[in-house]
């Protein structure tokens, strides 16, 4: 009679695929978004610190902190929800208008009858406030809406820096010059003569200290990021290899048991 060919059943090895995200959602392309937030926030804040002598008021901290925080949130939402560039610009502009009065002209909230005037001043600040910065005597304090340019710079530079830092490709390097750009605001509109401060045996200008801090933050982050990317890639590769080995062991046990 004819020989009966008995073949063992084929065992299909399991395939391990990365978890998929919902349609229309993307992820932040960074080895550590938390580190990006800390470093870029510090970079923008230190850069804007060059404008402290223009205002010399505690209210200066409010537009700086609010602008950086709002910009980081907007940039994160724009990437994870795949916003178009036009939508990103519109949301940024609306954020500036909505938060501009309480952040850049806080004293206008009391009395409330000046709220409308300050709103118009905040909206026109990107064009009109520069003239006041050049013509008025320093420090400006909270006069009218002179803090609006600070809030605008913090917001726009934050949106730009975080948007670049969290996107794929090589554009992330441009986050440093974008985040450091506000330092020129203090140089152009700040006082010409600033008292020196003593650092040990040396008397140095605060501007030099701010410049050194900006360089350390910027170049430190540029040096850290490629290293962190390589470490993340190696960790992911090791994890994937471990999954594949585990899958093969399971398949071999099932094959032997059959």
């Amino acid at each position: 009679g004819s020989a009966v060919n008995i073949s063992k059943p084929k065992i299909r090895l399991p395939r391990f695929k990365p978890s998929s995200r919902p349609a229309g959602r993307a992820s932040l392309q960074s080895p550590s978004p938390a580190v990006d937030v800390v470093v870029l926030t510090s970079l923008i804040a230190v850069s804007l610190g060059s404008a402290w002598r223009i205002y010399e008021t505690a209210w200066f901290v409010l537009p700086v902190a609010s602008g950086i925080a709002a910009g980081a949130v907007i940039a994160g939402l724009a990437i994870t929800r795949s916003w178009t560039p036009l939508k990103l610009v519109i949301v940024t502009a609306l954020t500036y208008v909505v938060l501009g009065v309480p952040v850049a002209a806080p004293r206008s909230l009391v009395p409330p009858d000046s709220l409308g005037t300050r709103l118009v001043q905040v909206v026109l600040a990107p064009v009109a406030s520069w003239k006041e910065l050049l013509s008025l005597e320093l420090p400006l304090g909270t006069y009218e809406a002179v803090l609006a340019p600070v809030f605008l710079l913090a917001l726009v530079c934050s949106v730009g820096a975080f948007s670049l830092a969290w996107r794929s490709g090589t554009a992330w390097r441009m986050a440093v010059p974008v985040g450091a750009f506000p330092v020129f605001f203090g140089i152009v509109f700040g006082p010409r003569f600033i008292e020196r401060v003593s650092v040990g045996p040396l008397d140095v200008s605060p501007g030099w200290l701010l410049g050194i801090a900006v360089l350390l933050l910027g170049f430190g982050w540029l040096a850290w990021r490629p290293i962190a990317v390589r470490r993340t890639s190696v960790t992911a590769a090791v994890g994937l290899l471990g999954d594949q080995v585990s899958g093969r062991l399971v398949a071999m046990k099932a094959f032997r048991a059959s």
Side-chain angles (χ1 to χ4, degrees), residues 18-238:
S19 58
S20 58
R21 292 181 174 271
R25 293 295 182 91
S27 60
L28 303 181
Q29 301 299 312
S30 171
S32 178
V35 174
D36 298 335
V37 169
V38 172
V39 175
L40 293 179
T41 295
S42 302
L43 178 65
I44 300 172
V46 171
S47 300
L48 281 168
S50 63
W52 165 258
R53 291 291 183 177
I54 301 175
Y55 301 94
E56 293 189 4
T57 173
W59 288 105
F60 177 78
V61 178
L62 182 60
V64 172
S66 301
I68 296 175
V73 172
I74 291 172
L77 290 176
I79 294 174
T80 56
R81 299 188 179 183
S82 302
W83 289 357
T84 62
L86 178 60
K87 186 174 181 179
L88 175 61
V89 171
I90 292 175
V91 172
T92 303
L94 290 176
T95 302
Y96 171 75
V97 173
V98 172
L99 297 181
V101 173
V103 167
R107 294 187 182 277
S108 64
L109 299 177
V110 180
D113 56 352
S114 61
L115 185 61
T117 302
R118 294 294 179 266
L119 178 60
V120 174
Q121 291 176 343
V122 168
V123 173
L124 297 179
V127 178
S129 289
W130 312 106
K131 181 180 178 180
E132 295 178 345
L133 290 172
L134 291 172
S135 60
L136 295 177
E137 184 179 354
L138 304 180
L140 300 177
T142 57
Y143 175 74
E144 292 185 349
V146 292
L147 284 170
V150 176
F151 177 58
L152 179 64
L153 274 175
L155 178 64
V156 173
C157 290
S158 179
V159 171
F162 285 109
S163 295
L164 291 167
W166 290 338
R167 292 188 183 277
S168 58
T170 59
W172 63 268
R173 295 182 178 88
M174 294 302 298
V176 171
V178 171
F181 178 78
V183 76
F184 295 104
F185 176 73
I187 295 175
V188 174
F189 297 103
R192 293 296 173 264
F193 301 99
I194 302 177
E195 295 181 1
R196 293 177 173 268
V197 295
S198 297
V199 180
L202 302 176
D203 289 336
V204 297
S205 170
W208 282 101
L209 296 179
L210 287 175
I212 293 174
V214 168
L215 290 176
L216 289 177
L217 287 168
F219 283 107
W221 185 71
L222 289 175
W224 163 83
R225 176 128 174 181
I227 297 174
V229 169
R230 286 194 293 269
R231 287 179 178 176
T232 302
S233 300
V234 170
T235 302
V238 171

Side-chain angles (χ1 to χ4, degrees), residues 11-16 240-254:
I11 306 298
R12 298 184 63 183
L13 297 178
R15 295 182 179 180
F16 295 90
L240 180 60
L241 180 61
D243 290 341
Q244 292 178 343
V245 171
S246 298
R248 290 182 181 276
L249 291 176
V250 171
M252 290 178 63
K253 290 180 179 180

